[in-house]
């Protein structure tokens, strides 16, 4: 994709596609809830199509209408062979859920990238619950032999919402309570949706400054869910809006769950002019119309390890932001980026360097990013590494650069944001 530089201010109201994490959970949880669920405005993208196909194969009855999906849940999911494509969320969440379906056998596999993503972190706690899961050296394909599960008391050492969700979904079918203690809280969409569908789940309060989540085995009841925009998709345009002088951008109906908006707080701390209106809630999820004005001189930022789960998917675009802020910005403790759709640590550093950025990976664990922002990028040709968020972050970098350039392998934006380039082009029309 050729990306020209944007040379004039923008002044637009846009919407971004629906939230990917919430859509996955709505599809999975509706499929095991008693009766009918209606999902309004689900995200249509490669990843969520894969989840829907998996749930259909497992036996859920699905009707697709124009802007909604109706799912008739079933009690027992059938043995099947599932293709999750590129979707880590589908792979992790389903591995957890399916491990409790006694007597059934499930094979889960996906594309080349999915076969490189760590599964041992999911297999280990599930095995403690009594699950029998065979992985290929800790990777997909995984074979899940459904077993009767026990509850677990688990300290989530890796701050991963996918891991937490896999354990919670397994806990639904266990014989007793499951407790998860989270040191650095990660996105809580699974907890909110399980509560909305009637599960016995609560925050057992704080425990030595850690979050404590308790789930009792529960049957779920179908319901209606209305999904709003994905904050992570909006984040790309927030950076554009913040950096283009005399610009104004409003994103209507954007996800505003505080476990997702860490990047919003970074923008505010940098000195960006932000605001929000129409704060509302659907099944416990917050949404708002969010606004940003461009042109303030921004200060560099320092992101600490405990903030990472709240902005994990925004790190590539935060690196872009840092390039355009004069001075040194630091992102600490972001080693989890190595295990995303690509090795995002390497991908973003390599590609932004090609555009003239001073960006380096530091630390004995190689998990700190230092960007010495110059206030500009030159432009040039870059590669997506087959990763949607890298492709979109680089496209924003080129839009803000002096000369613009080209993103190779840009089709992968369809993984989460199929009309990303139309939305980007629309800003200057
Ligand atoms: C997701 C959780 C995050 C995020 C991913 C989606 C989810 O991963 O990076 O894009 O839907 O649970 P981890 O929290 O597992 O690192």
């Amino acid at each position: 994709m050729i990306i020209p530089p944007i040379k004039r201010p923008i002044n637009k109201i846009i919407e971004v596609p629906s939230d990917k994490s919430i859509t996955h959970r709505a599809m999975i949880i509706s499929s095991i809830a008693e009766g009918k669920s209606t999902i309004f405005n689900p995200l249509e993208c490669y990843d969520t199509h894969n989840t829907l196909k998996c749930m259909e194969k497992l036996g859920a009855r699905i009707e697709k209408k124009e802007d909604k999906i109706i799912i008739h849940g079933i009690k027992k999911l059938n043995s099947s062979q599932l293709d999750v494509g590129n979707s880590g969320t589908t792979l992790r969440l389903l591995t957890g859920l399916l491990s409790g379906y006694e007597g059934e056998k499930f094979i889960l596999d996906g594309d080349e990238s999915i076969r490189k993503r760590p599964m041992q972190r999911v297999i280990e706690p599930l095995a403690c619950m009594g699950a029998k899961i065979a992985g290929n050296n800790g990777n997909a394909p995984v074979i899940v032999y459904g077993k009767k599960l026990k509850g677990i008391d688990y300290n989530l050492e890796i701050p991963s919402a996918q891991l937490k969700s896999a354990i919670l979904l397994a806990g639904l079918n266990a014989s007793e309570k499951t407790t998860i203690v989270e040191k650095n809280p990660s996105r809580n969409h699974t907890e909110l949706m399980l509560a909305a569908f009637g599960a016995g789940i609560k925050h057992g309060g704080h425990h030595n400054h850690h979050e404590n989540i308790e789930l009792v085995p529960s049957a779920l009841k179908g319901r209606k869910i209305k999904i709003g925009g994905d904050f992570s998709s909006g984040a790309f345009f927030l950076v554009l809006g913040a950096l283009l002088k005399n610009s104004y951008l409003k994103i209507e109906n954007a996800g505003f769950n505080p476990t997702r908006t860490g990047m919003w707080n970074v923008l505010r701390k940098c000195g960006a002019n932000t605001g929000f209106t129409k704060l509302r809630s659907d099944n416990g999820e917050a949404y708002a119309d969010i606004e940003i004005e461009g042109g303030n001189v921004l200060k560099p930022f320092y992101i600490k390890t405990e903030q990472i789960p709240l902005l994990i998917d925004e790190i590539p675009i935060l690196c872009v932001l840092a390039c355009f802020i004069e001075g040194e910005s630091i992102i600490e403790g972001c080693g989890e980026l190595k295990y995303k759709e690509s090795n995002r640590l390497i991908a973003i550093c390599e590609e932004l360097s090609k555009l003239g950025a001073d960006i380096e990976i530091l630390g004995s664990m190689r998990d700190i990013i230092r960007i010495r922002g110059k206030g500009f990028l030159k432009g040039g040709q870059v590669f997506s590494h087959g990763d949607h968020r890298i492709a979109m972050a680089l496209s924003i970098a080129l839009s803000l650069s002096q000369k613009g350039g080209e993103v190779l392998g840009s089709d992968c934006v369809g993984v989460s944001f199929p009309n990303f380039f139309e939305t980007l082009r629309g800003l200057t029309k």
Side-chain angles (χ1 to χ4, degrees), residues 1-2 383-384 388 391-392 395 407-414 421:
M1 184 62 65
I2 307 281
F383 171 50
S384 70
H388 55 136
M392 292 187 275
S395 301
V407 181
L408 301 177
S410 57
D411 284 357
C412 56
V413 300
F421 291 113

Side-chain angles (χ1 to χ4, degrees), residues 21 25 89 160-162 187 312-313 340:
S21 291
R25 286 154 173 85
T89 306
S160 156
Q162 293 178 353
R187 63 187 70 188
I312 182 78
D313 289 341
K340 296 294 173 188

Side-chain angles (χ1 to χ4, degrees), residues 150-153 174-179 214-217:
K150 338 188 258 286
I152 190 176
D153 232 333
S175 50
E176 63 277 289
K177 186 174 89 176
T178 287
T179 305
E214 286 179 12
L215 170 76
V216 288

Side-chain angles (χ1 to χ4, degrees), residues 19-22 24-25 47 88-90 92-93 117 121 158-165 186-187 189-190 232 260 309 311-314 336-337 339-341 344 388-389:
D19 190 282
K20 182 151 86 69
S21 291
I22 301 176
H24 281 303
R25 286 154 173 85
D47 271 14
T89 306
T90 315
R92 268 70 175 259
L93 270 58
R117 300 184 65 180
R121 53 176 65 186
I158 303 171
S160 156
Q162 293 178 353
L163 169 56
K164 171 175 66 175
S165 304
S186 61
R187 63 187 70 188
H189 304 303
T190 304
S232 298
R260 290 288 297 283
L311 46 75
I312 182 78
D313 289 341
E314 284 64 73
E336 273 297 298
L337 285 194
Y339 311 114
K340 296 294 173 188
E341 285 83 329
R344 284 188 182 157
H388 55 136
R389 296 198 201 281

